[in-house]
């Protein structure tokens, strides 16, 4: 079964490489089949027609011969009768008068033109001239003939005779006159001459073996052929058949010649060669063949032309489609208005569309839709190519990563359309400045430039500087004048790496450094940056562990109310006791915590811890907790505060949340909502590090802060720097005008304290009064306070409690971008 | 078809005391009864042979009447012409060749038949006229009637040769001969002729 299927499947239709060939083969094949069929049918019809006409002729001829012989026999019989009725002749026969009989027979032979005539008497005596064999056979004839018959064809020796018998009546039969006509070649020829067609008449007789054989003429018949012909359907008396002669096939008719008995002794065979029968039609056959060939050539030519006209445009379409497949595009020349023409038109449209779409898709795949600059994918490719080229020619390549400073703020302040417009403008600026390099937009507000260093080794630095200079001025985007900054990190191949990914990573590290170094600057990658990055990653892991294992604790630095001259609260400061590294500076781990987002969990813990600690303090001592901008961005922050208050049972008024101006960088709307929400709870809000950042007075107007904390940088020089003192005074006056308290940080000596007192500062914080204390320290301090051993500025705490090694521990501050 | 050759010289002395009737029916090859067939039993009889019919063959209506006439050897047969036309009666038969040249109405000629055998007579003027005179040397001979039957009375018992002649018979001499044994009760036989 499967083998059969295999065999079937192995039989395939021929496969054509060209439509033209297929069409030509198809049409020519069909025509050839049609012509062949017509030819075959014509041939069969011609043969049939030729044969049937010959058959008809043969049958007709044989009938004619029969009639002829019948007439002949009758005339012979009549002649014999005339003689047999003659009384003298009868008397001669009756009396056995041989001489008289012989002369009468001679007379008769001459009269009727018959070679042999005999008289046979009742006794079987034969009178007449002839061979002994013939005489013997003649003597038997009258007795063998059936009643009512007067002639028979019999063989005598090697010859065949037609014998006509006439009785001699006196009045009964006393004998017979017998004529014998030898059916020889001459007889046959005279018969043939009577026929309308040039047939061949042959007498057949039995040979010694009982097989039919020709007795006359030169008809060459293979042995047994006539027997087979006779046996084919019994008799071919009236239905001519085909007989195989030595000279080829012939149409033949065999008429049995009636003998004395039922079985004939001889046959008359009429033959006509098939070749001769077909000869008149030869020209017709040749004509059919020639016209068929001519038609075939015509069809071959025509179908070739037609197929060409069909397949040329299709081949052109095929080529064009292949070209399209290979990525190039070829137009197809349109010929005609038929389907193919229309197909060509639509193909051209389609291919144009495909190419256009491909280009667009390719562009989309490799370009940024907003700025039209190459995207990260294309940038990587270009960087790859540039690196390859640089390696070949031994040049350097610089990769610059650029990041807009405070882009989120732009989006929040002016809306996304303006942000998008700004990105477009920045893209244009970069493209214009870095015309010798490749500018790409990697993500939101992150750009990158690849620039070769072939002529000027200072090119990266110069380019970075020119970019910074160009963006120092406000940029007009979407009708807004936007002041935006840019930080740039630069890595140079091959020094900073050979791989695109390495170079990009290093440029990113340099960018990070630039951001850290205050933004609006560019930094080149240094190997140390990588180490620092690794350290940051390690620190991040350590921080997670610390959060998990409870390695954090809070220390509390007292805040001294100058007016009431006593402690009014504590600022909670996060401390990290690393099992190996010992005490880690907040300046080190807070930025890492902010970057990694761990600050949220850490801040939550600090909020809960501070509230839990503060509830043990006597009312109204407050606890101040620093909150990073990252925490503020978290919408759940208000809930955290509420939970911390609820769990500890602390009065919200005793919680002071310290924020920096950086929380407003991300947009002031939601931030202000959150601040108002916290305020509504009853929490106090303090603005920390005032004077270091933007110090925008609008922030002070936008929210009714409870306190402004003056940064230590002003406090340090407040006693001996007029400028610093003026700033402190201005801040204090401003806070007073806005009904806000002020706390000066980092007060270290009595001169500073004096200056601050004179300027009307509400409260102070610093080593002069007390460094940050552990919970036990706070408990002791509060116990002393109850025992009225109140620490005062003149008798600060550190005198009572021996101080540890002084470490500069800045408070937690949000360092955001 | 069985041919019987008559055995000549086979004769039997028969006595009147032992004689029977020989009844024969002659049939043709097609089974039809054959009339005018002459049945002869070869048996000697003492005395002159006579038959109860005249030895006359008339020519009447351009036929010989009777068509077949049995006469004993030595009989003189007259041939009266009853027609208005003349006849030329002849015979080329071996037992008796004769010729009665043209003779007219009411003329009679006589011919003596002195040898036994069948004499075929014809008319040279009228081809269709034919007749037979069967010359026998035994009284035991008779013609079959229309039903092909014949009865020969008082044939002596013993072995004999039964001969049947018929003009239509296709046999040499137009006759069949077969040995038969005639019992005192006679013989009843059907002879099929070829």
């Amino acid at each position: 079964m499967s083998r059969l299927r295999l065999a079937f499947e192995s039989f395939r239709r021929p496969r054509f490489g060209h439509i033209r060939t297929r069409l030509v083969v198809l049409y020519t094949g069909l025509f050839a089949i049609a012509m062949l069929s017509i030819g075959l049918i014509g041939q069969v019809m011609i043969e049939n027609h030729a044969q049937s006409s010959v058959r008809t002729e043969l049958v007709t001829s044989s009938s004619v011969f029969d009639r002829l012989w019948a007439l002949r026999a009758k005339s012979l019989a009549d002649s014999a009768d005339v003689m047999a009725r003659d009384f003298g002749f009868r008397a001669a026969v009756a009396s056995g008068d041989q001489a008289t009989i012989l002369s009468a027979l001679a007379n008769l032979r001459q009269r009727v033109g018959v070679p042999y005539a005999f008289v046979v008497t009742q006794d079987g005596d034969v009178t007449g001239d002839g061979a002994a064999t013939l005489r013997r056979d003649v003597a038997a004839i009258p007795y063998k003939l059936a009643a009512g018959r007067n002639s028979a064809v019999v063989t005598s020796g090697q010859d065949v005779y037609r014998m006509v018998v006439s009785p001699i009546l006196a009045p009964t039969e006393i004998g017979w006159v017998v004529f014998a006509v030898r059916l020889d070649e001459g007889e046959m020829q005279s018969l043939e001459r009577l026929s309308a067609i040039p047939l061949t008449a042959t007498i057949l007789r039995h040979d010694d073996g009982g097989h039919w054989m020709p007795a006359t003429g030169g008809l060459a018949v293979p042995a047994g052929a006539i027997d087979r012909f006779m046996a084919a359907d019994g008799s071919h008396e009236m239905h001519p058949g085909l007989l195989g002669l030595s000279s080829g096939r012939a149409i033949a008719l065999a008429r049995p010649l009636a003998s004395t008995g039922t079985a004939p002794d001889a046959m008359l065979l009429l033959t006509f060669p098939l070749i001769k029968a077909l000869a008149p039609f030869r020209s017709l056959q040749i004509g059919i063949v020639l016209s068929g060939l001519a038609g075939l050539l015509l069809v071959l030519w025509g179908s070739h032309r037609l197929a060409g006209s069909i397949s040329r445009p299709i081949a052109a379409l095929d080529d064009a489609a292949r070209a399209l497949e290979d990525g190039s595009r070829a137009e197809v020349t349109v010929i005609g208005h038929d389907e193919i023409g229309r197909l060509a038109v639509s193909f051209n449209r389609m291919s144009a569309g495909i190419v256009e779409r491909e280009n667009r898709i390719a562009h989309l795949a490799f370009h940024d839709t907003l700025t039209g600059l190459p995207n990260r994918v294309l940038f990587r490719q270009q960087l790859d190519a540039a690196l390859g080229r640089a390696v070949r020619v031994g040049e350097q390549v610089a990769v610059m990563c650029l990041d807009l400073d405070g882009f989120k703020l732009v989006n929040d302040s002016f809306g996304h359309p303006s942000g998008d417009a700004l990105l477009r403008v920045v893209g244009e600026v970069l493209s214009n400045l870095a015309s010798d390099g490749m500018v790409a937009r990697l993500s939101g507000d992150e750009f990158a430039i690849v620039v070769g260093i072939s002529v000027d080794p200072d090119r990266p630095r110069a380019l970075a500087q020119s970019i910074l200079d160009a963006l120092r001025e406000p940029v007009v985007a979407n009708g807004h004048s936007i002041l935006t900054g840019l930080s740039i990190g630069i890595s140079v191949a091959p020094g900073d790496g050979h791989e695109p990914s390495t170079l990009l990573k290093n440029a990113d590290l340099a960018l990070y450094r630039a951001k850290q170094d205050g933004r609006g600057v560019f930094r080149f990658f240094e190997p140390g940056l990588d180490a620092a990055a690794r350290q940051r990653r390690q620190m991040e892991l350590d921080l997670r562990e610390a959060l998990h294992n409870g390695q954090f604790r809070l220390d509390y630095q007292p805040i001294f109310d100058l007016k009431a001259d006593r402690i009014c609260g504590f600022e909670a400061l996060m401390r990290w006791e690393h099992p190996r590294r010992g005490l880690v500076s907040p300046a080190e781990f807070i930025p890492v915590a902010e970057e990694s987002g761990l600050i949220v969990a850490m801040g939550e813990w600090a909020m809960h811890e501070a509230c839990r600690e503060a509830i043990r303090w006597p009312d109204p001592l407050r606890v101040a907790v620093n909150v990073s901008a990252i925490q503020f961005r978290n919408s759940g922050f208000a809930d955290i505060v509420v939970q911390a208050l609820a769990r500890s049972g602390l009065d919200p008024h005793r919680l002071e949340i310290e924020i920096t101006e950086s929380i407003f960088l991300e947009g002031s709307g939601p931030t202000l909502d959150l601040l108002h929400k916290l305020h509504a709870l009853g929490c106090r809000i303090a603005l920390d590090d005032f004077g270091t950042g933007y110090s925008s007075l609008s922030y002070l107007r936008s929210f009714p802060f409870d306190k402004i904390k003056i940064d230590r940088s002003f406090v340090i020089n407040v006693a001996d720097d007029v400028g610093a003192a003026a700033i402190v005074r201005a801040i204090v006056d401003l806070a007073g005008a806005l009904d806000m308290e002020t706390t000066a940080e980092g007060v270290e000596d009595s001169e500073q304290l004096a200056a601050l007192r004179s300027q009307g500062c509400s409260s102070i914080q610093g080593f002069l009064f007390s460094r940050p204390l552990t919970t036990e320290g706070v408990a002791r301090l509060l116990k002393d306070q109850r025992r009225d051993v109140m620490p005062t500025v003149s008798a600060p705490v550190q005198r009572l409690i021996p101080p540890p090694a002084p470490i500069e521990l800045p408070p937690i501050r949000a360092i955001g971008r | 078809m069985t041919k019987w050759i008559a055995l000549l010289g086979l004769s039997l002395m028969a006595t009147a005391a032992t004689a029977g009737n020989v009844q024969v029916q002659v049939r043709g090859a097609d089974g039809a009864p054959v009339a005018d067939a002459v049945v002869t039993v070869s048996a000697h009889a003492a005395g002159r042979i006579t038959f109860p019919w005249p030895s006359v063959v008339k020519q009447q209506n351009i036929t010989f009447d009777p068509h077949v006439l049995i006469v004993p050897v030595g009989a003189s047969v007259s041939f009266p012409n009853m027609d208005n036309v003349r006849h030329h009666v002849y015979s080329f038969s071996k037992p008796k060749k004769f010729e009665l040249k043209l003779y007219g109405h009411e003329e009679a000629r006589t011919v003596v038949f002195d040898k036994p055998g069948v004499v075929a007579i014809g008319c040279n003027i009228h081809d269709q006229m034919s007749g037979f005179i069967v010359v026998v040397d035994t009284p035991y001979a008779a013609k079959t009637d229309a039903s092909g039957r014949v009865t020969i009375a008082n044939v002596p018992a013993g072995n004999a040769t039964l001969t049947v002649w018929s003009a239509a018979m296709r046999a040499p001499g137009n006759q069949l001969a077969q040995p038969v044994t005639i019992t005192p009760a006679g013989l009843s036989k059907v002879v099929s002729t070829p």
Side-chain angles (χ1 to χ4, degrees), chain A residues 101-115:
Chain A
I101 293 170
L102 278 172
S103 70
L105 285 172
N107 187 39
L108 182 62
R109 283 207 311 266
Q110 212 170 358
R111 186 161 11 122
V112 297
V114 169

Side-chain angles (χ1 to χ4, degrees), chain A residues 272-317:
Chain A
F272 193 77
L274 205 52
I275 294 280
K276 271 196 201 169
L278 291 172
F281 301 99
R282 188 66 61 208
S283 56
L284 181 60
Q285 286 173 322
I286 289 166
I288 288 175
V289 168
L290 284 179
S291 63
L293 283 174
L296 202 61
L297 288 173
L298 204 64
V299 165
L300 203 65
W301 176 77
S303 60
H304 196 262
R305 286 279 314 256
L306 174 68
S309 71
I310 293 171
S311 70
R312 245 193 315 279
I314 291 178
L317 276 168

Side-chain angles (χ1 to χ4, degrees), chain A residues 457-500:
Chain A
D458 195 34
R459 175 64 186 154
R461 195 205 58 77
L463 177 58
Q465 193 55 59
S466 67
I467 291 167
L468 293 179
D469 291 348
L471 293 173
R472 217 175 286 286
E473 301 298 319
V475 172
V476 178
N478 201 28
H480 299 283
S481 180
I482 302 170
L483 184 61
T484 182
L486 197 68
S487 301
I488 305 176
I490 308 167
S491 66
V492 180
D496 299 338
H498 303 279
E499 295 299 314

Side-chain angles (χ1 to χ4, degrees), chain A residues 525-537:
Chain A
F525 170 76
E526 300 155 18
L529 291 181
D530 197 23
R534 274 203 300 277
Q535 279 172 9
R536 261 203 316 279
R537 274 198 301 278

Side-chain angles (χ1 to χ4, degrees), chain A residues 625-662:
Chain A
V625 181
N626 287 283
V627 175
S628 150
I630 310 283
Q631 286 172 269
F632 239 81
R633 262 180 245 155
N634 190 341
S635 56
F637 178 68
D639 299 340
I640 289 169
V641 173
V642 171
Q643 271 184 11
L645 291 171
R647 280 206 185 165
S648 60
L650 188 72
D651 184 346
H653 292 97
R654 295 177 63 197
L655 175 63
E656 193 167 78
I657 293 170
E658 290 192 11
I659 57 163
T660 61
E661 287 166 295
S662 63

Side-chain angles (χ1 to χ4, degrees), chain B residues 80-100:
Chain B
N81 185 355
M82 303 294 168
D83 289 327
N84 293 328
V85 295
R86 291 201 282 181
H87 295 287
H88 174 180
V89 181
Y90 68 88
S91 165
F92 293 124
S93 302
K94 280 198 178 76
K96 188 67 187 178
K97 290 189 172 64
F98 69 92
E99 195 175 353
L100 304 176

Side-chain angles (χ1 to χ4, degrees), chain A residues 2 6-7 19-20 108 150 220 267 380 395 399 404 431 483 487 600 619 647 695 717 769 796:
Chain A
S2 60
L6 274 175
I19 287 179
R20 171 180 288 216
L108 182 62
N150 70 339
M267 289 245 184
R380 285 293 295 262
E395 281 180 3
V399 178
L404 289 179
S431 300
L483 184 61
S487 301
V600 175
D619 200 8
R647 280 206 185 165
S695 308
N717 302 319
F769 182 70

